[in-house]
């Protein structure tokens, strides 16, 4: 608004940096498709609006990227594969359309785990390659919204959009030391993204700060006639988000569940909980029943739905898929209709338990991920990585939100001795994203410093 810096100048900086980060050793591989002409067109239009004092929203001129799972004109909708999206897209997903209408500058589409089937972000195929964690390029970003988190952490854009069916926004945001919000199921339209798992996936922003996440959430949330699951939602608000303290809020913690993480992570997360208490919130011990049953049931639901949707691909493009994707889909084919029905009965039970818990507390706190970002090995670059025990562990605190549809927010709170980010997760009842953002703002104050990643681009320079 001051006129000191215009979107067109920022866009030129970003284009130069996109060229640079793919030439570096190793390449960042955060943004996998981008077009300088498209970027400049949007930036120049925004610059004109600023000069004429007629901006469209507070996202006008702000650089954003979207996970390759979304249709974004004129890019290929590859969804992390080599066989999908053979032609450039001619129609935007709802979230891409809303971002354009808000004046945001779409700088491209971001890397992702092939078909969203894993939590490392490891994708060795020729179009994607393995995105690097800006805090340590020898470590994974987390997945499946891997490039989205890497792009934000590396400073290429302050906002990226991901999808989350088993932690796919929150895991990479946690590993890359940025903020990730998974909206309530149906809160943000999934129209125009590949419908891999219709009952577990939510859309959400990955951002540099909680305030940015709130702004993006307020623009993207709301009913979409093309996406039936979110039609009956209550109005999205940011009520009390900026309250000076947390007086009156009750934070639920199941300590047995909470403590199942690495010692370094537990120590940081316990201190963060004490910080929230010091701001007037009270901590209430809760019991999350049947968590093992819920974990297994979530896996049955997400994999059964993906296997169903990808049946033609599995038959026709089996040899073009990464080895890990083949293994996951082969495992999914072992589930029966009976398994799926029982898993959904468990979902009803888990949702009922949560209704009771949320009648006594405003939110549930957990660490975000039980460990920090794992190391990348040479073999991963060639054939990929398949580590089921890591996949299961990384999703530990994530699955409840996907299985029952409640919203979740992860906020970076500390760093490990190795310098890798550690995050805390806050979950709330359905449609109550406002309380997550209110607590998230206070969690940011707990982090006494934000370490600069080893890969970082200053797009305002």
């Amino acid at each position: 608004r001051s006129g000191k810096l215009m979107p067109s100048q920022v866009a030129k900086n970003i284009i130069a940096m996109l060229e640079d980060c793919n030439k570096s050793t190793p390449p960042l591989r955060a943004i996998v498709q981008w077009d300088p002409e498209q970027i400049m067109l949007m930036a120049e239009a925004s610059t004109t609006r600023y000069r004429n004092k007629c901006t469209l929203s507070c996202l006008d001129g702000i650089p954003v990227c979207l996970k390759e799972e979304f249709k974004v004109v004129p890019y290929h909708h590859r969804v992390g594969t080599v066989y999908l999206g053979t032609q450039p897209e001619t129609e935007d997903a709802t979230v891409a359309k809303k971002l354009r209408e808000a004046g945001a500058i779409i700088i491209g589409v971001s890397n992702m785990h092939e078909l969203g089937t894993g939590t490392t972000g490891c994708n060795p195929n020729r179009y994607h390659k393995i995105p690097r964690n800006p805090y340590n390029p020898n470590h994974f970003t987390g997945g499946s919204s891997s490039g989205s988190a890497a792009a934000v952490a590396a400073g290429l854009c302050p906002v990226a959009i991901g999808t989350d069916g088993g932690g796919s926004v929150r895991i990479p945001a946690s590993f890359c030391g940025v903020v990730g919000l998974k909206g309530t199921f149906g809160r943000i339209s999934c129209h125009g993204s590949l419908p891999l798992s219709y009952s577990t996936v939510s859309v959400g922003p990955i951002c540099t700060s909680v305030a940015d996440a709130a702004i993006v959430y307020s623009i993207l949330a709301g009913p979409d006639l093309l996406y039936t699951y979110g039609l009956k939602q209550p109005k999205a608000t940011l009520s009390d988000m900026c309250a000076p303290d947390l007086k009156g809020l009750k934070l639920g913690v199941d300590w047995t569940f909470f403590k199942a993480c690495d010692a370094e992570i537990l120590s940081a997360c316990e201190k963060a909980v004490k910080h929230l208490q010091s701001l007037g919130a009270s901590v209430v011990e809760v019991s999350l029943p049947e968590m093992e049953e819920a974990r297994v049931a979530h896996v049955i639901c997400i994999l059964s739905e993906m296997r169903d949707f990808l049946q033609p691909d599995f038959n026709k493009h089996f040899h073009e898929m990464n080895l890990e994707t083949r293994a996951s889909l082969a495992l999914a084919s072992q589930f029966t209709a009976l398994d799926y029905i029982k898993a959904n009965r468990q979902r009803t039970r888990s949702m009922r338990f949560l209704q009771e818990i949320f009648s006594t507390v405003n939110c549930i706190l957990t660490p975000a991920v039980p460990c920090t970002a794992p190391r990348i090995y040479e073999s991963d670059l060639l054939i990929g990585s398949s580590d089921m025990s890591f996949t299961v562990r990384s999703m530990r605190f994530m699955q409840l939100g996907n299985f029952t549809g409640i919203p979740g927010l992860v906020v970076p709170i500390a760093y490990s001795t190795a310098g890798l980010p550690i995050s805390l997760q806050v979950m709330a009842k359905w449609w109550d994203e406002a309380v997550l953002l209110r607590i998230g703002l206070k969690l940011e104050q707990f982090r006494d410093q934000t370490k600069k990643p080893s890969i970082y681009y200053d797009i305002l320079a």
Side-chain angles (χ1 to χ4, degrees):
R1 285 181 188 150
S2 69
K4 281 180 195 157
L5 189 66
M6 281 292 155
S8 46
Q9 183 53 54
V10 176
K12 281 176 190 157
N13 294 350
I14 291 169
I15 291 164
M17 286 157 188
L18 285 170
E19 284 165 357
D20 178 73
C21 68
N22 282 334
K23 284 181 197 151
S24 61
T25 311
L28 181 62
R29 299 304 295 162
I31 309 290
V32 286
Q33 298 181 58
W34 52 283
D35 179 339
E37 208 175 297
Q38 289 287 326
I39 297 170
M40 287 314 298
L41 274 173
M42 285 180 269
E44 278 155 8
S46 178
T47 298
T48 303
R49 290 193 293 272
Y50 272 99
R51 287 208 173 111
N52 295 336
K53 297 194 167 34
C54 60
T55 49
L56 299 170
S57 79
C58 45
L59 275 189
D60 206 327
I62 301 298
V64 304
C65 69
L66 292 96
K67 185 180 186 178
E68 204 182 55
E69 199 168 322
F70 294 100
K71 292 180 177 179
V72 183
V73 179
Y75 303 109
H76 295 265
H77 189 217
R78 290 191 179 118
V79 199
T81 71
V82 293
Y83 66 85
L84 286 172
T86 51
Q87 297 299 316
E89 264 321 303
T90 54
E91 196 185 335
D92 275 329
T94 297
V95 282
K97 194 161 159 272
K98 281 188 170 185
L99 289 167
R100 279 191 214 276
E101 287 166 357
I105 299 166
I106 297 172
I107 65 166
V109 293
S110 49
N111 206 340
M112 64 176 285
H113 206 107
E114 185 178 66
L115 296 166
T117 54
T119 60
T120 56
C122 182
N123 188 349
N125 77 44
R126 65 181 185 270
Y127 288 136
H128 297 87
K129 300 296 178 204
I130 294 172
R132 303 296 179 136
N133 191 319
Y135 276 91
N136 185 331
N138 296 319
H139 287 249
F140 283 118
T141 54
S144 63
S145 307
S146 48
S148 296
V152 173
L156 291 170
C157 51
V159 175
I161 309 300
T163 57
D164 190 315
S168 285
V169 158
R170 293 162 293 155
I171 293 170
S174 305
F175 283 165
C176 293
V178 289
V179 172
L181 172 66
K182 178 199 95 72
T184 304
F185 178 77
R187 177 62 103 179
I188 299 172
S189 173
C190 278
H191 175 74
S193 70
L194 202 69
L196 292 163
S197 166
Y198 59 87
S199 80
T200 67
V201 174
S202 296
V203 178
I206 294 174
C207 300
T208 34
S209 71
V210 174
D212 287 356
I215 290 166
V216 179
Y217 163 74
S218 65
I219 284 170
L220 296 182
D224 171 17
L225 291 173
L226 299 169
Y227 183 66
T228 49
Y229 296 122
L231 286 179
K232 296 233 187 319
Q233 62 177 277
K235 192 169 165 47
T237 70
L238 298 175
S239 60
D240 292 336
M241 183 181 144
C242 298
D245 53 41
L246 297 177
K247 281 183 185 144
L249 286 187
K250 290 179 180 169
L251 317 176
V253 180
D254 178 331
W255 286 110
T256 310
F257 186 57
F258 191 100
K259 287 177 179 175
C261 59
D262 292 351
E264 227 177 349
I265 288 171
L266 178 60
S267 168
C269 290
E270 284 178 332
K271 285 176 190 157
V273 173
K274 285 199 175 89
H275 166 73
L276 297 176
Q277 270 181 297
S278 75
L279 292 165
S282 55
V283 171
V284 178
E285 275 202 51
V286 295
S287 169
L288 295 170
E290 299 179 12
M291 285 307 289
E292 182 56 19
E293 290 83 347
R295 182 186 73 74
V296 173
H298 167 262
V299 170
I300 291 168
C301 287
I302 190 169
L303 280 180
S304 298
E305 289 167 12
M306 288 174 92
R307 184 69 169 87
D308 168 52
F309 179 73
L310 294 168
Q311 178 73 24
D313 301 47
F314 191 69
N315 293 340
K316 199 173 165 190
H317 299 284
F318 180 82
H319 293 290
E320 294 167 273
M321 290 175 170
N322 290 334
L323 294 170
E324 184 191 15
T325 308
R326 294 184 212 172
S328 300
L329 293 175
L331 168 69
S333 67
Q334 300 305 303
F335 297 133
T336 64
L338 202 59
D339 293 329
Y340 187 71
I341 289 164
K342 282 184 175 170
N344 276 292
R345 284 185 182 146
Q346 179 62 46
R347 194 194 311 251
T348 306
R349 285 178 67 82
S350 296
M351 289 172 81
R352 190 66 47 80
F353 294 142
L354 284 177
Q355 275 176 332
E356 285 170 25
I357 289 167
F358 286 126
S359 69
T360 60
V361 297
N362 299 91
C363 68
I364 296 166
L365 303 178
T366 70
V369 194
C371 55
T372 52
R375 213 184 145 71
I376 297 170
Y377 293 97
E378 279 301 306
S379 60
D380 301 337
L381 305 174
L382 301 169
I383 54 167
S385 162
S386 182
D387 181 346
M388 277 296 176
S389 63
F390 169 76
T391 306
V392 168
R393 191 159 187 247
S394 64
M395 291 178 8
R396 177 178 177 83
F397 300 117
M398 300 285 146
Q399 291 171 284
L400 186 64
N402 296 111
F403 189 48
T404 62
I406 59 172
L409 177 76
V410 296
V411 180
I413 54 163
Y415 302 90
S416 69
T417 46
L420 291 165
I422 294 171
S423 297
L424 187 81
Q425 175 175 235
V426 194
M427 293 180 282
K429 68 177 184 288
W430 301 269
W431 316 114
D432 198 6
E433 287 85 352
V435 79
L436 298 183
L437 295 161
R438 177 181 171 186
I439 295 166
L441 281 176
K442 297 294 182 268
L443 271 177
E444 280 181 325
Q445 296 169 3
F446 166 73
R447 190 173 75 235
D448 55 355
Q449 56 162 333
T450 302
K451 286 186 183 165
K452 200 172 177 180
S454 57
I455 301 174
Y456 188 76
Y457 295 93
D458 183 357
I459 58 172
L460 303 182

